[in-house]
Amino acid sequence: MKPIKNALLKSPACYVAACLCAISANVAAQTEPKTSTPAPAAADAEKSGPTFSSKLLLTGGVTNIEGSAGGGLTPWAIIGGNGTKEQIGGSVFYTQARANDYTLNVAGAMVGLFDRVELSYAEQKFDTREVGGALGLGNGYKFTQKIYGAKVRVAGDAVLEQDSWLPQIAVGLQHKENDRGDLLRALGIKSDRGTDYYVSATKLFLNSSILVNGTVRLTKANQTGILGFGTNTKDKYKAYAEGSVAYLLRKDLAIGAEFRQKPDNLGFKENNWYDVFVAYAPTKNISVTLAYVDLGNIVIKEKQKAPYLSVQIGF
Amino acid sequence: MLKKICFALLALSITASGALVATQASAQEGAQVSDAATFKDFGEKAGLVKIMDDFMAGLLKDPRTKSSFENVDQQRVKEQLVDQICAILKGPCEYKGGKMGQVHRELGINRENFNALVEQLQFAMDKNNVPFSSQNKLLAVLAPMHRVIVTQ
Ligand code: HEM
């Protein structure tokens, strides 16, 4: 991977075209010419599949629905992309969660700088399908939310500090802009913009192949911002807990569960979210996450459950 | 239902990780895995010899570690590694080589080199059918050594 990363480092324009870049890096990784006639054992070692690229596979997490490196529902303290201290990494992702009555599509990209800072962008499209019609908004009425994320690792190393209690700790923010301000205000919602602040602690317990993450988020968001931020009567930040646990079955396969506590400030009931997931990394650069998410009540439809599919390409 | 599974898993993992941290090895010289059965999963000393052969071949192939190992006494390094890992796995061996900090101090090793070495070790362990969970028990003891090995 080193030659690829060096090539990336030499072309700043590449960061801008993060998407193309990730894909080309991936292609390059697979077509990278092999050096001279290898000893048999070395040849075997080379083709024996994915693992650490510069980080330990899958312990770098996937991409959360808001574009940050983490589990599906919650950001982790891990800096996204495959880069180490000397390197820049990144990834692009696409996620779809199709609930009984709603569909969420998310696409985005992130850059990880020197295993210290993560910058991300994600665009969520929340399709109300027939519910939109029932509410008089029209079938297929969509909310679009843009999310700008930043995260800084402040302490620890989730993977290597195996003899210490100290988890990897990061602080971050997610600034969100919803395109349906007029509708939201008509519903008594305070704002179509908001910023969530969070602290995450992530620790890999290699001895037991378990990864644990806990996050505390300060937010005013209704349904993560899809229904705006605050209401005319309740507009204060409050802290909410989120958690993920993953068990590494193989270096390319993990299973786990998550929860995300959420505000409940609207007239429409809002519930905490839960999921169980399987994450698989067929190569160093690609991961696929399948999950089943319990979203609870959303506006006028209760018991929303969604199969969730997310694909991430990293470099 | 999903809620219950999530909470049960979370609670379980928090207790499990707590218990495991309590028994975790430290980076101090002489740290060992907690479970003597792990040594068998590596095929005991003979298995380690094979794994270290594959490991060294991988290190010499990987552009991130090649230059470090090309011009050293590879046979010695392999033998020392066998003894060191055998001792870590509670096998009947004694490590008589240099202290990790002293051996690596002047080598200018960075995080990428370190991770690459771990990756090659994983390849070699996979090739020799060491179960993943046993691999991780060894890596849990080796990983903290980055503090004295990585100098850049
Ligand atoms: C946890 C990780 C590591 C362990 C357990 C380890 C272990 C060892 C051992 C046991 C020796 C032999 C000591 C002796 O001869 O007395 C050795 C030597 C050596 N190691 Fe490491 N090592 C690690 C990481 C690295 C890394 C990341 C590099 C560079 C990529 C590296 C490069 C070398 C070199 C070049 C020697 C030979 C030094 C010489 O003979 O002058 N090691 N290592």
Side-chain angles (χ1 to χ4, degrees):
Chain A
M1 277 310 287
K2 195 174 192 176
I4 295 157
K5 287 209 173 94
N6 287 347
L8 284 177
L9 282 166
K10 279 180 203 134
S11 74
C14 216
Y15 307 144
V16 183
C19 176
L20 289 173
C21 201
I23 292 160
S24 62
N26 185 45
V27 171
Q30 282 164 2
T31 57
E32 195 181 351
K34 309 290 179 229
T35 42
S36 62
T37 46
D44 280 354
E46 187 145 283
K47 67 167 156 52
S48 52
T51 172
F52 276 92
S53 62
S54 284
K55 289 176 179 160
L56 185 57
L57 195 77
L58 282 176
T59 61
V62 294
T63 314
N64 110 302
I65 46 164
E66 290 143 317
S68 305
L73 297 182
T74 179
W76 291 355
I78 306 290
I79 300 300
N82 290 332
T84 60
K85 278 199 172 67
E86 307 84 27
Q87 300 164 329
I88 293 178
S91 64
V92 293
F93 80 103
Y94 181 81
T95 297
Q96 183 175 81
R98 193 178 165 85
N100 314 54
D101 299 291
Y102 305 94
T103 305
L104 176 69
N105 288 297
V106 198
M110 71 168 86
V111 192
L113 306 171
F114 315 113
D115 203 24
R116 176 62 66 187
V117 176
E118 175 187 298
L119 301 173
S120 60
Y121 174 76
E123 201 164 294
Q124 296 179 331
K125 283 206 191 317
F126 186 78
D127 186 341
T128 60
R129 287 158 50 192
E130 264 133 60
V131 178
L135 293 171
L137 299 168
N139 281 353
Y141 184 88
K142 290 186 190 66
F143 294 84
T144 300
Q145 180 165 244
K146 296 177 171 165
I147 305 174
Y148 304 87
K151 187 198 286 179
V152 180
R153 182 172 64 84
V154 291
D157 181 314
V159 177
L160 293 185
E161 302 294 332
Q162 289 297 319
D163 56 349
S164 147
W165 260 105
L166 184 71
Q168 181 160 333
I169 299 169
V171 294
L173 61 82
Q174 292 171 339
H175 177 72
K176 306 177 177 184
E177 296 179 358
N178 188 307
D179 72 336
R180 297 294 191 180
D182 291 343
L183 174 71
L184 295 172
R185 276 181 289 274
L187 292 169
I189 288 160
K190 185 85 182 178
S191 178
D192 55 7
R193 268 138 217 256
T195 307
D196 292 355
Y197 302 92
Y198 63 87
V199 183
S200 290
T202 307
K203 182 90 195 149
L204 172 65
F205 298 96
L206 256 183
N207 237 335
S208 47
S209 306
I210 290 174
L211 184 141
V212 183
N213 176 78
T215 296
V216 176
R217 181 192 299 260
L218 293 172
T219 185
K220 295 193 230 178
N222 308 308
Q223 298 289 10
T224 77
I226 301 288
L227 293 179
F229 303 83
T231 67
N232 290 337
T233 50
K234 289 181 191 159
D235 191 38
K236 285 221 173 71
Y237 275 105
K238 278 199 192 138
Y240 298 88
E242 302 174 5
S244 316
V245 42
Y247 180 66
L248 305 177
L249 289 167
R250 299 195 316 232
K251 66 191 171 183
D252 59 352
L253 190 65
I255 52 171
E258 297 183 282
F259 83 97
R260 175 165 172 169
Q261 192 186 20
K262 292 176 41 263
D264 185 16
N265 291 331
L266 292 182
F268 312 115
K269 177 92 191 132
E270 176 170 351
N271 296 111
N272 299 337
W273 285 354
Y274 303 86
D275 77 23
V276 288
F277 67 83
V278 182
Y280 171 57
T283 76
K284 267 187 190 178
N285 305 79
I286 297 174
S287 74
V288 180
T289 308
L290 269 173
Y292 188 67
V293 194
D294 182 347
L295 301 162
N297 189 68
I298 298 180
V299 192
I300 55 164
K301 293 287 183 183
E302 51 180 13
K303 298 196 175 128
Q304 294 297 306
K305 304 233 163 63
Y308 165 115
L309 171 70
S310 183
V311 179
Q312 174 184 293
I313 301 172
F315 60 92
Chain B
M1 174 62 184
L2 207 51
K3 265 178 223 184
K4 280 188 192 134
I5 296 175
C6 285
F7 274 132
L9 282 172
L10 272 176
L12 200 78
S13 72
I14 289 162
T15 11
S17 50
L20 285 155
V21 166
T23 60
Q24 243 170 19
S26 80
Q28 291 151 15
E29 306 271 335
Q32 290 180 312
V33 298
S34 51
D35 176 4
T38 316
F39 186 52
K40 289 216 168 57
D41 291 336
F42 281 76
E44 307 195 328
K45 194 163 176 180
L48 282 174
V49 171
K50 271 213 78 231
I51 295 170
M52 290 309 122
D53 284 344
D54 292 335
F55 180 37
M56 185 54 77
L59 289 170
L60 291 169
K61 187 82 213 314
D62 190 320
R64 300 165 297 179
T65 48
K66 186 171 186 243
S67 58
S68 301
F69 290 96
E70 253 166 0
N71 301 314
V72 302
D73 182 348
Q74 291 150 13
Q75 193 53 39
R76 176 186 160 87
V77 176
K78 283 195 284 187
E79 283 161 13
Q80 294 305 320
L81 277 166
V82 168
D83 281 345
Q84 184 191 36
I85 294 175
C86 172
I88 289 172
L89 299 176
K90 295 190 163 157
C93 312
E94 195 189 339
Y95 175 61
K96 301 198 193 80
K99 286 208 160 46
M100 286 298 98
Q102 273 157 19
V103 172
H104 299 94
R105 188 174 297 148
E106 305 298 327
L107 300 177
I109 296 168
N110 66 17
R111 184 63 74 94
E112 189 190 26
N113 305 139
F114 187 88
N115 289 351
L117 175 132
V118 175
E119 179 177 327
Q120 291 302 338
L121 181 56
Q122 287 182 310
F123 284 145
M125 293 188 293
D126 277 350
K127 193 170 175 232
N128 291 278
N129 303 317
V130 180
F132 181 64
S133 59
S134 301
Q135 296 185 16
N136 287 346
K137 286 180 186 152
L138 172 62
L139 294 179
V141 179
L142 299 185
M145 294 179 183
H146 80 96
R147 288 200 286 268
V148 291
I149 291 174
V150 175
T151 50
Q152 297 222 322

